Amino acid sequence: MSNERAQFVTRIGAIAATVGSAVGLGNIWRFPYEAGKNGGGAFLLIYIGCVLLVGIPVVVSEFIIGRGTHKNVAGALKQLAPGTKWHWMSYMGILASLMILSFYSVVCGWIIEYLFQAVSGNLSGHSAQDYTNMFNAFVANPWRTVMWTVLFLCINFLVLRRGIKKGIEKVANFMMPVLFVILLVFIAYALTLPGATKGLKFLFFPDFSHLSPKVAIGAMGQAFFSLSVGLSCLLTYASYFKDSDSLAKNATIVAVLDTLVAILSGIMIFPVVFSFGMEPEAGPKLVFEILPNIFQQLPCAYLWSVMFFLLLFFASITSTISMSEISITFMVEEHQLSRKKATLLNTGIGIAFGTLCALSFSVLSDFTIFGKTIFDLFDFVSSNILLPLGGVFFAWFVGWYVDKKFVDNELTNHGTTKVSIWRRPLFFCIRYFAPIAIIIIFLYGLGLFDTFL
Ligand code: TRP
Protein backbone atom coordinates (compact mmCIF):
# COMPACT_ATOMS: atom_id res chain seq x y z
CA MET A 1 0.00 0.00 0.00
CA SER A 2 2.78 2.40 0.86
CA ASN A 3 4.00 2.46 -2.75
CA GLU A 4 0.64 3.68 -3.93
CA ARG A 5 0.56 6.56 -1.53
CA ALA A 6 1.47 9.92 -2.91
CA GLN A 7 4.84 11.37 -2.05
CA PHE A 8 5.68 15.03 -1.98
CA VAL A 9 7.25 15.75 -5.33
CA THR A 10 10.11 17.87 -4.15
CA ARG A 11 11.84 18.50 -0.87
CA ILE A 12 10.67 22.09 -0.98
CA GLY A 13 7.16 20.75 -1.55
CA ALA A 14 7.35 18.68 1.62
CA ILE A 15 8.69 21.53 3.71
CA ALA A 16 6.34 24.09 2.17
CA ALA A 17 3.31 21.94 2.92
CA THR A 18 4.45 21.30 6.49
CA VAL A 19 5.13 25.00 7.01
CA GLY A 20 1.74 25.60 5.40
CA SER A 21 0.18 23.44 8.07
CA ALA A 22 2.07 25.16 10.87
CA VAL A 23 1.68 28.76 9.76
CA GLY A 24 -1.91 29.86 10.00
CA LEU A 25 -4.30 31.54 12.36
CA GLY A 26 -2.25 30.14 15.22
CA ASN A 27 0.50 32.60 14.41
CA ILE A 28 -1.39 35.64 13.29
CA TRP A 29 -4.59 35.45 15.32
CA ARG A 30 -3.99 33.15 18.29
CA PHE A 31 -0.43 34.09 19.25
CA PRO A 32 -1.07 37.83 19.76
CA TYR A 33 -4.27 37.20 21.67
CA GLU A 34 -2.74 34.59 23.95
CA ALA A 35 0.35 36.75 24.51
CA GLY A 36 -1.89 39.74 25.22
CA LYS A 37 -4.02 37.80 27.66
CA ASN A 38 -1.03 36.29 29.42
CA GLY A 39 1.15 39.30 30.11
CA GLY A 40 3.35 39.53 26.99
CA GLY A 41 7.08 39.02 27.66
CA ALA A 42 6.86 36.26 30.26
CA PHE A 43 4.53 34.35 27.94
CA LEU A 44 6.88 34.80 24.97
CA LEU A 45 9.83 33.49 26.94
CA ILE A 46 8.07 30.29 28.03
CA TYR A 47 6.63 29.93 24.55
CA ILE A 48 10.07 30.02 22.92
CA GLY A 49 11.43 27.62 25.53
CA CYS A 50 8.55 25.22 24.79
CA VAL A 51 9.09 25.43 21.02
CA LEU A 52 12.80 24.67 21.28
CA LEU A 53 12.94 22.08 24.04
CA VAL A 54 9.55 20.43 23.81
CA GLY A 55 8.04 21.31 20.42
CA ILE A 56 10.93 20.40 18.13
CA PRO A 57 11.59 17.05 19.85
CA VAL A 58 7.91 16.10 19.59
CA VAL A 59 7.80 17.23 15.94
CA VAL A 60 10.79 14.98 15.23
CA SER A 61 9.10 12.11 17.09
CA GLU A 62 6.03 12.42 14.89
CA PHE A 63 8.23 12.66 11.79
CA ILE A 64 10.09 9.49 12.78
CA ILE A 65 6.91 7.46 13.20
CA GLY A 66 5.27 8.83 10.05
CA ARG A 67 8.19 8.65 7.66
CA GLY A 68 9.44 5.37 9.12
CA THR A 69 6.18 3.57 8.43
CA HIS A 70 4.67 5.60 5.55
CA LYS A 71 1.31 4.98 7.20
CA ASN A 72 -1.47 6.94 8.88
CA VAL A 73 -1.33 7.18 12.66
CA ALA A 74 -3.35 4.04 13.48
CA GLY A 75 -1.54 1.95 10.85
CA ALA A 76 1.82 3.23 12.05
CA LEU A 77 1.14 2.43 15.70
CA LYS A 78 -0.16 -1.04 14.75
CA GLN A 79 3.04 -1.68 12.81
CA LEU A 80 5.38 -0.44 15.53
CA ALA A 81 3.49 -1.88 18.49
CA PRO A 82 1.78 -4.98 17.08
CA GLY A 83 -0.72 -6.76 19.26
CA THR A 84 -1.03 -3.84 21.66
CA LYS A 85 -3.74 -1.26 22.16
CA TRP A 86 -1.47 1.73 21.56
CA HIS A 87 -3.15 2.43 18.23
CA TRP A 88 -6.16 3.58 20.25
CA MET A 89 -4.17 6.76 20.83
CA SER A 90 -5.04 7.69 17.28
CA TYR A 91 -8.64 8.31 18.37
CA MET A 92 -7.47 11.08 20.65
CA GLY A 93 -5.73 12.75 17.71
CA ILE A 94 -8.80 12.41 15.55
CA LEU A 95 -11.04 13.84 18.26
CA ALA A 96 -8.67 16.77 18.82
CA SER A 97 -8.33 17.44 15.09
CA LEU A 98 -12.11 17.60 14.68
CA MET A 99 -12.42 19.91 17.68
CA ILE A 100 -9.76 22.22 16.28
CA LEU A 101 -11.30 22.13 12.80
CA SER A 102 -14.62 23.21 14.31
CA PHE A 103 -13.50 26.37 16.10
CA TYR A 104 -10.79 27.14 13.56
CA SER A 105 -13.34 27.20 10.75
CA VAL A 106 -15.33 29.80 12.65
CA VAL A 107 -12.36 32.15 12.69
CA CYS A 108 -11.75 31.36 9.01
CA GLY A 109 -15.36 32.45 8.55
CA TRP A 110 -14.51 35.75 10.24
CA ILE A 111 -11.72 36.14 7.72
CA ILE A 112 -14.14 35.65 4.85
CA GLU A 113 -16.40 38.32 6.38
CA TYR A 114 -13.47 40.73 6.68
CA LEU A 115 -12.36 39.93 3.15
CA PHE A 116 -15.89 40.69 2.04
CA GLN A 117 -15.90 43.97 3.99
CA ALA A 118 -12.46 44.85 2.62
CA VAL A 119 -13.59 44.26 -0.96
CA SER A 120 -16.69 46.36 -0.31
CA GLY A 121 -14.43 49.17 0.93
CA ASN A 122 -15.84 49.16 4.47
CA LEU A 123 -12.57 48.71 6.31
CA SER A 124 -11.34 52.26 6.17
CA GLY A 125 -12.41 55.69 7.30
CA HIS A 126 -13.58 54.72 10.79
CA SER A 127 -12.41 55.29 14.34
CA ALA A 128 -10.81 52.58 16.47
CA GLN A 129 -14.06 52.33 18.48
CA ASP A 130 -16.02 51.81 15.26
CA TYR A 131 -13.91 48.77 14.41
CA THR A 132 -14.54 47.27 17.84
CA ASN A 133 -18.27 47.85 17.44
CA MET A 134 -18.18 46.43 13.96
CA PHE A 135 -16.63 43.18 15.13
CA ASN A 136 -18.99 42.84 18.08
CA ALA A 137 -22.02 43.42 15.88
CA PHE A 138 -20.78 40.89 13.35
CA VAL A 139 -20.11 37.99 15.74
CA ALA A 140 -23.44 38.61 17.46
CA ASN A 141 -25.17 37.81 14.16
CA PRO A 142 -25.85 34.06 14.21
CA TRP A 143 -26.80 33.71 10.53
CA ARG A 144 -23.86 35.51 9.12
CA THR A 145 -21.23 33.78 11.26
CA VAL A 146 -22.70 30.33 10.58
CA MET A 147 -23.01 31.06 6.87
CA TRP A 148 -19.31 31.93 6.54
CA THR A 149 -18.25 28.95 8.67
CA VAL A 150 -20.20 26.59 6.41
CA LEU A 151 -18.90 28.30 3.27
CA PHE A 152 -15.35 27.94 4.52
CA LEU A 153 -15.78 24.23 5.22
CA CYS A 154 -17.23 23.74 1.74
CA ILE A 155 -14.17 25.39 0.19
CA ASN A 156 -11.98 23.22 2.41
CA PHE A 157 -13.90 20.20 1.09
CA LEU A 158 -13.30 21.17 -2.53
CA VAL A 159 -9.57 21.61 -2.02
CA LEU A 160 -9.33 18.27 -0.24
CA ARG A 161 -11.18 16.47 -2.99
CA ARG A 162 -8.36 17.29 -5.37
CA GLY A 163 -5.96 15.11 -3.37
CA ILE A 164 -2.63 15.52 -1.65
CA LYS A 165 -0.25 16.74 -4.29
CA LYS A 166 -2.35 18.97 -6.44
CA GLY A 167 -4.46 20.53 -3.74
CA ILE A 168 -2.04 21.23 -0.97
CA GLU A 169 1.22 21.92 -2.68
CA LYS A 170 0.02 24.38 -5.26
CA VAL A 171 -1.57 26.61 -2.67
CA ALA A 172 1.20 26.32 -0.12
CA ASN A 173 4.09 27.04 -2.42
CA PHE A 174 3.51 30.59 -3.46
CA MET A 175 1.32 32.19 -0.81
CA MET A 176 3.59 32.08 2.22
CA PRO A 177 6.41 34.37 1.03
CA VAL A 178 3.92 37.05 0.03
CA LEU A 179 2.24 36.94 3.43
CA PHE A 180 5.63 37.33 5.03
CA VAL A 181 6.41 40.48 3.02
CA ILE A 182 3.03 42.00 3.84
CA LEU A 183 3.66 41.46 7.54
CA LEU A 184 6.93 43.36 7.18
CA VAL A 185 5.16 46.30 5.53
CA PHE A 186 2.57 46.46 8.32
CA ILE A 187 5.30 46.25 10.94
CA ALA A 188 7.14 49.16 9.31
CA TYR A 189 3.98 51.22 9.79
CA ALA A 190 3.26 49.98 13.30
CA LEU A 191 6.74 50.93 14.46
CA THR A 192 6.25 54.57 13.46
CA LEU A 193 3.34 54.96 15.89
CA PRO A 194 3.86 57.06 19.03
CA GLY A 195 3.18 54.17 21.44
CA ALA A 196 5.31 51.64 19.56
CA THR A 197 8.03 51.20 22.20
CA LYS A 198 5.42 50.51 24.86
CA GLY A 199 4.06 47.70 22.69
CA LEU A 200 7.49 46.24 22.04
CA LYS A 201 8.33 46.42 25.73
CA PHE A 202 5.15 44.55 26.54
CA LEU A 203 6.07 41.79 24.11
CA PHE A 204 9.81 41.49 24.73
CA PHE A 205 10.45 42.41 28.35
CA PRO A 206 9.30 39.61 30.61
CA ASP A 207 7.55 40.80 33.72
CA PHE A 208 7.75 37.77 35.94
CA SER A 209 5.11 39.03 38.29
CA HIS A 210 2.78 37.87 35.52
CA LEU A 211 4.04 34.32 35.68
CA SER A 212 1.30 31.94 36.72
CA PRO A 213 0.14 28.41 36.00
CA LYS A 214 -2.29 29.87 33.50
CA VAL A 215 0.53 31.55 31.59
CA ALA A 216 2.68 28.40 31.52
CA ILE A 217 -0.16 26.19 30.30
CA GLY A 218 -1.19 28.82 27.77
CA ALA A 219 2.33 29.15 26.37
CA MET A 220 2.80 25.40 26.10
CA GLY A 221 -0.59 24.95 24.44
CA GLN A 222 0.21 27.75 22.01
CA ALA A 223 3.55 26.14 21.10
CA PHE A 224 1.82 22.84 20.31
CA PHE A 225 -1.02 24.48 18.46
CA SER A 226 1.21 26.67 16.36
CA LEU A 227 3.54 23.83 15.39
CA SER A 228 0.53 21.61 14.54
CA VAL A 229 2.11 19.02 16.78
CA GLY A 230 0.68 16.47 19.22
CA LEU A 231 -2.23 14.99 17.33
CA SER A 232 -0.47 13.18 14.51
CA CYS A 233 -0.99 15.84 11.86
CA LEU A 234 2.74 16.04 11.23
CA LEU A 235 2.95 12.27 11.45
CA THR A 236 0.48 12.02 8.58
CA TYR A 237 2.44 14.60 6.57
CA ALA A 238 5.74 12.89 7.27
CA SER A 239 4.27 9.63 6.01
CA TYR A 240 4.44 11.30 2.60
CA PHE A 241 8.06 12.51 3.01
CA LYS A 242 10.81 10.96 0.95
CA ASP A 243 13.36 8.67 2.53
CA SER A 244 16.11 11.17 1.75
CA ASP A 245 14.57 14.10 3.68
CA SER A 246 16.44 15.05 6.84
CA LEU A 247 13.87 14.90 9.60
CA ALA A 248 15.72 17.00 12.19
CA LYS A 249 16.45 19.67 9.62
CA ASN A 250 12.85 19.77 8.37
CA ALA A 251 11.61 20.08 11.94
CA THR A 252 13.98 22.95 12.67
CA ILE A 253 13.06 24.85 9.51
CA VAL A 254 9.36 24.48 10.29
CA ALA A 255 9.78 25.57 13.92
CA VAL A 256 11.97 28.59 13.08
CA LEU A 257 9.70 29.88 10.33
CA ASP A 258 6.58 29.28 12.39
CA THR A 259 7.95 31.09 15.44
CA LEU A 260 9.24 33.94 13.31
CA VAL A 261 5.80 34.56 11.81
CA ALA A 262 4.20 34.50 15.28
CA ILE A 263 6.69 37.02 16.67
CA LEU A 264 6.31 39.25 13.60
CA SER A 265 2.59 39.19 14.14
CA GLY A 266 3.15 40.32 17.75
CA ILE A 267 5.45 43.14 16.59
CA MET A 268 2.71 44.22 14.20
CA ILE A 269 -0.16 44.11 16.70
CA PHE A 270 1.13 45.38 20.08
CA PRO A 271 2.45 48.80 19.03
CA VAL A 272 -1.01 49.51 17.61
CA VAL A 273 -2.74 48.19 20.73
CA PHE A 274 -0.77 50.51 22.99
CA SER A 275 -0.76 53.57 20.79
CA PHE A 276 -4.54 53.45 20.40
CA GLY A 277 -5.02 52.81 24.11
CA MET A 278 -6.68 49.44 23.51
CA GLU A 279 -6.72 46.37 25.73
CA PRO A 280 -4.08 43.67 25.09
CA GLU A 281 -6.37 41.22 26.95
CA ALA A 282 -9.17 41.57 24.40
CA GLY A 283 -9.07 37.83 23.57
CA PRO A 284 -10.09 36.28 20.23
CA LYS A 285 -11.29 39.58 18.83
CA LEU A 286 -7.95 41.38 19.35
CA VAL A 287 -6.48 41.00 15.88
CA PHE A 288 -9.75 41.74 14.11
CA GLU A 289 -10.11 45.01 15.99
CA ILE A 290 -6.53 46.09 15.48
CA LEU A 291 -5.83 45.28 11.83
CA PRO A 292 -8.26 47.74 10.18
CA ASN A 293 -6.53 50.51 12.13
CA ILE A 294 -3.29 49.58 10.38
CA PHE A 295 -4.77 49.35 6.90
CA GLN A 296 -6.43 52.69 6.91
CA GLN A 297 -3.27 54.56 7.77
CA LEU A 298 -1.44 53.16 4.77
CA PRO A 299 -1.63 54.52 1.25
CA CYS A 300 -3.83 52.22 -0.88
CA ALA A 301 -5.68 50.97 2.22
CA TYR A 302 -8.13 49.11 0.02
CA LEU A 303 -5.46 47.07 -1.65
CA TRP A 304 -3.64 46.18 1.57
CA SER A 305 -6.75 45.08 3.38
CA VAL A 306 -7.98 42.90 0.53
CA MET A 307 -4.57 41.36 0.01
CA PHE A 308 -4.00 40.70 3.68
CA PHE A 309 -7.25 38.86 4.30
CA LEU A 310 -6.88 36.94 1.07
CA LEU A 311 -3.46 35.70 2.10
CA LEU A 312 -4.60 34.97 5.63
CA PHE A 313 -7.36 32.92 4.07
CA PHE A 314 -4.81 30.86 2.14
CA ALA A 315 -2.55 30.47 5.18
CA SER A 316 -5.56 29.19 7.12
CA ILE A 317 -6.78 26.77 4.51
CA THR A 318 -3.39 25.02 4.31
CA SER A 319 -3.80 24.50 8.06
CA THR A 320 -7.37 23.20 7.92
CA ILE A 321 -6.40 20.89 5.07
CA SER A 322 -3.71 19.42 7.29
CA MET A 323 -6.04 18.82 10.23
CA SER A 324 -8.72 17.33 7.99
CA GLU A 325 -6.14 15.03 6.44
CA ILE A 326 -5.75 13.20 9.78
CA SER A 327 -9.27 11.83 9.94
CA ILE A 328 -9.59 11.41 6.17
CA THR A 329 -6.41 9.32 5.81
CA PHE A 330 -7.53 7.32 8.84
CA MET A 331 -10.98 6.57 7.44
CA VAL A 332 -9.61 5.71 4.00
CA GLU A 333 -6.75 3.50 5.12
CA GLU A 334 -8.17 1.88 8.24
CA HIS A 335 -11.85 1.70 7.39
CA GLN A 336 -11.69 1.42 3.61
CA LEU A 337 -14.00 4.38 3.05
CA SER A 338 -13.71 6.07 -0.32
CA ARG A 339 -11.80 9.33 -0.17
CA LYS A 340 -14.90 11.16 -1.25
CA LYS A 341 -17.02 9.71 1.56
CA ALA A 342 -14.30 10.30 4.14
CA THR A 343 -13.96 13.93 3.06
CA LEU A 344 -17.72 14.40 3.19
CA LEU A 345 -17.87 12.95 6.69
CA ASN A 346 -15.05 15.21 7.87
CA THR A 347 -16.82 18.25 6.43
CA GLY A 348 -20.17 17.21 7.93
CA ILE A 349 -18.72 16.88 11.43
CA GLY A 350 -16.93 20.22 10.97
CA ILE A 351 -20.18 21.90 9.98
CA ALA A 352 -22.14 20.44 12.91
CA PHE A 353 -19.65 21.42 15.61
CA GLY A 354 -18.43 24.53 13.79
CA THR A 355 -22.00 25.85 13.91
CA LEU A 356 -22.10 25.38 17.69
CA CYS A 357 -18.78 27.21 18.00
CA ALA A 358 -19.94 30.04 15.75
CA LEU A 359 -23.10 30.45 17.85
CA SER A 360 -20.99 30.76 21.02
CA PHE A 361 -20.73 34.48 20.29
CA SER A 362 -24.45 34.99 19.84
CA VAL A 363 -27.38 32.76 20.80
CA LEU A 364 -25.22 30.29 22.74
CA SER A 365 -23.09 32.89 24.51
CA ASP A 366 -24.70 32.10 27.85
CA PHE A 367 -24.30 28.36 27.44
CA THR A 368 -21.09 27.59 29.32
CA ILE A 369 -19.37 24.45 30.54
CA PHE A 370 -16.74 24.95 33.28
CA GLY A 371 -17.27 28.66 32.74
CA LYS A 372 -16.32 28.47 29.06
CA THR A 373 -18.41 28.86 25.93
CA ILE A 374 -18.32 25.96 23.45
CA PHE A 375 -15.82 27.86 21.29
CA ASP A 376 -13.48 28.52 24.24
CA LEU A 377 -13.93 25.01 25.57
CA PHE A 378 -13.02 23.38 22.25
CA ASP A 379 -9.99 25.64 21.95
CA PHE A 380 -8.86 25.08 25.54
CA VAL A 381 -9.38 21.32 25.68
CA SER A 382 -7.76 20.60 22.33
CA SER A 383 -4.78 22.97 22.51
CA ASN A 384 -3.96 23.03 26.19
CA ILE A 385 -4.84 19.46 27.14
CA LEU A 386 -5.10 17.02 24.21
CA LEU A 387 -2.12 18.31 22.19
CA PRO A 388 0.37 18.26 25.10
CA LEU A 389 -0.93 14.82 26.13
CA GLY A 390 -0.39 13.61 22.58
CA GLY A 391 3.07 15.15 22.80
CA VAL A 392 3.96 13.15 25.92
CA PHE A 393 2.79 10.03 24.17
CA PHE A 394 4.77 10.55 20.93
CA ALA A 395 7.95 11.49 22.80
CA TRP A 396 7.64 8.53 25.13
CA PHE A 397 6.78 6.16 22.28
CA VAL A 398 9.81 7.15 20.19
CA GLY A 399 12.13 7.66 23.16
CA TRP A 400 11.36 4.45 25.03
CA TYR A 401 9.06 2.08 23.22
CA VAL A 402 10.21 1.90 19.61
CA ASP A 403 13.35 -0.01 18.71
CA LYS A 404 16.35 2.32 19.02
CA LYS A 405 17.68 1.06 15.69
CA PHE A 406 14.50 2.18 13.91
CA VAL A 407 14.80 5.66 15.45
CA ASP A 408 18.48 5.90 14.51
CA ASN A 409 17.77 4.81 10.96
CA GLU A 410 15.16 7.50 10.58
CA LEU A 411 17.33 10.23 12.10
CA THR A 412 20.28 9.36 9.87
CA ASN A 413 18.29 8.20 6.82
CA HIS A 414 19.72 4.71 7.23
CA GLY A 415 23.19 6.06 7.79
CA THR A 416 23.28 8.05 4.57
CA THR A 417 23.18 11.55 6.09
CA LYS A 418 25.96 13.02 8.16
CA VAL A 419 25.38 12.46 11.85
CA SER A 420 24.75 15.87 13.31
CA ILE A 421 26.07 16.96 16.70
CA TRP A 422 22.49 17.76 17.62
CA ARG A 423 21.37 14.17 17.48
CA ARG A 424 22.26 13.36 21.07
CA PRO A 425 20.75 16.46 22.69
CA LEU A 426 17.70 15.97 20.50
CA PHE A 427 17.26 12.40 21.58
CA PHE A 428 17.79 13.43 25.20
CA CYS A 429 14.95 15.92 24.86
CA ILE A 430 12.70 13.33 23.24
CA ARG A 431 13.41 10.80 25.97
CA TYR A 432 13.57 12.87 29.13
CA PHE A 433 13.16 16.59 28.84
CA ALA A 434 10.02 16.92 26.69
CA PRO A 435 7.79 14.41 28.50
CA ILE A 436 8.93 15.56 31.94
CA ALA A 437 8.54 19.26 31.10
CA ILE A 438 5.03 18.71 29.75
CA ILE A 439 4.00 16.79 32.84
CA ILE A 440 5.49 19.41 35.18
CA ILE A 441 3.71 22.25 33.37
CA PHE A 442 0.51 20.25 33.61
CA LEU A 443 0.83 19.64 37.32
CA TYR A 444 1.74 23.27 37.82
CA GLY A 445 -1.32 24.21 35.81
CA LEU A 446 -3.54 22.02 37.93
CA GLY A 447 -2.24 23.89 40.96
CA LEU A 448 -0.47 20.88 42.43
CA PHE A 449 2.61 22.88 43.36
CA ASP A 450 0.71 25.73 44.94
CA THR A 451 1.59 24.70 48.43
CA PHE A 452 5.33 24.69 47.63
CA LEU A 453 5.69 27.83 45.53
N1 TRP B 1 -0.70 25.17 13.38
C1 TRP B 1 -1.83 25.71 12.74
C2 TRP B 1 -1.87 27.19 12.99
O1 TRP B 1 -1.02 27.72 13.61
C3 TRP B 1 -3.10 25.03 13.18
C4 TRP B 1 -3.06 23.57 12.94
C5 TRP B 1 -3.03 22.94 11.75
C6 TRP B 1 -3.00 22.57 13.92
N2 TRP B 1 -2.96 21.60 11.91
C7 TRP B 1 -2.94 21.36 13.23
C8 TRP B 1 -2.96 22.61 15.27
C9 TRP B 1 -2.83 20.18 13.93
C10 TRP B 1 -2.86 21.44 15.96
C11 TRP B 1 -2.78 20.24 15.30
O2 TRP B 1 -2.74 27.85 12.55
Side-chain angles (χ1 to χ4, degrees), residues 21-27 100 104 224-229 231 233 258 319 322-323 326 387:
S21 161
V23 176
L25 291 173
N27 312 63
I100 295 178
Y104 204 95
F224 275 88
F225 185 88
S226 195
L227 290 171
S228 306
V229 72
L231 52 74
C233 177
D258 184 64
S319 300
S322 77
M323 43 187 115
I326 304 171
L387 295 185

Side-chain angles (χ1 to χ4, degrees), residues 103-333:
F103 77 82
Y104 204 95
S105 299
V106 173
V107 185
C108 294
W110 298 352
I111 291 175
I112 301 183
E113 161 79 12
Y114 271 67
L115 182 59
F116 182 76
Q117 296 296 348
V119 171
S120 329
N122 291 339
L123 284 190
S124 55
H126 300 286
S127 69
Q129 187 57 44
D130 287 341
Y131 291 122
T132 306
N133 297 344
M134 185 177 143
F135 182 84
N136 290 340
F138 160 60
V139 288
N141 182 334
W143 293 110
R144 222 174 153 86
T145 41
V146 171
M147 172 178 82
W148 292 138
T149 307
V150 173
L151 176 71
F152 176 80
L153 282 160
C154 292
I155 301 174
N156 187 53
F157 172 82
L158 291 178
V159 179
L160 283 162
R161 281 291 297 129
R162 304 186 59 195
I164 277 278
K165 270 196 236 165
K166 274 188 268 163
I168 304 175
E169 282 199 329
K170 257 195 213 156
V171 191
N173 277 342
F174 70 96
M175 286 293 172
M176 291 291 152
V178 190
L179 183 64
F180 200 78
V181 173
I182 292 206
L183 279 182
L184 293 179
V185 173
F186 288 179
I187 286 174
Y189 162 71
L191 293 180
T192 62
L193 289 170
T197 34
K198 235 174 152 184
L200 293 181
K201 235 173 150 177
F202 175 79
L203 182 62
F204 289 110
F205 284 86
D207 171 358
F208 287 107
S209 65
H210 277 121
L211 202 59
S212 70
K214 194 180 115 240
V215 174
I217 290 259
M220 180 169 70
Q222 175 61 22
F224 275 88
F225 185 88
S226 195
L227 290 171
S228 306
V229 72
L231 52 74
S232 76
C233 177
L234 297 179
L235 187 157
T236 309
Y237 266 35
S239 72
Y240 297 104
F241 283 1
K242 282 190 187 148
D243 288 332
S244 52
D245 284 337
S246 161
L247 299 184
K249 200 154 138 205
N250 279 10
T252 313
I253 294 174
V254 172
V256 168
L257 286 177
D258 184 64
T259 308
L260 193 65
V261 176
I263 293 176
L264 287 180
S265 177
I267 301 178
M268 163 178 84
I269 297 290
F270 289 113
V272 188
V273 172
F274 282 88
S275 85
F276 282 78
M278 296 165 106
E279 286 296 317
E281 294 101 5
K285 63 182 179 179
L286 180 71
V287 176
F288 287 86
E289 287 177 351
I290 298 295
L291 281 167
N293 289 305
I294 304 184
F295 305 142
Q296 66 166 341
Q297 304 297 330
L298 295 168
C300 313
Y302 182 83
L303 203 70
W304 288 116
S305 55
V306 172
M307 233 157 73
F308 183 79
F309 283 113
L310 198 63
L311 288 168
L312 198 52
F313 174 81
F314 279 103
S316 317
I317 203 161
T318 48
S319 300
T320 52
I321 288 167
S322 77
M323 43 187 115
S324 308
E325 205 58 58
I326 304 171
S327 49
I328 294 173
T329 318
F330 174 79
M331 290 188 262
V332 171
E333 292 182 5

Side-chain angles (χ1 to χ4, degrees), residues 52-64:
L52 291 178
L53 299 172
V54 179
I56 293 181
V58 181
V59 171
V60 173
S61 306
E62 281 200 32
F63 279 180
I64 289 176

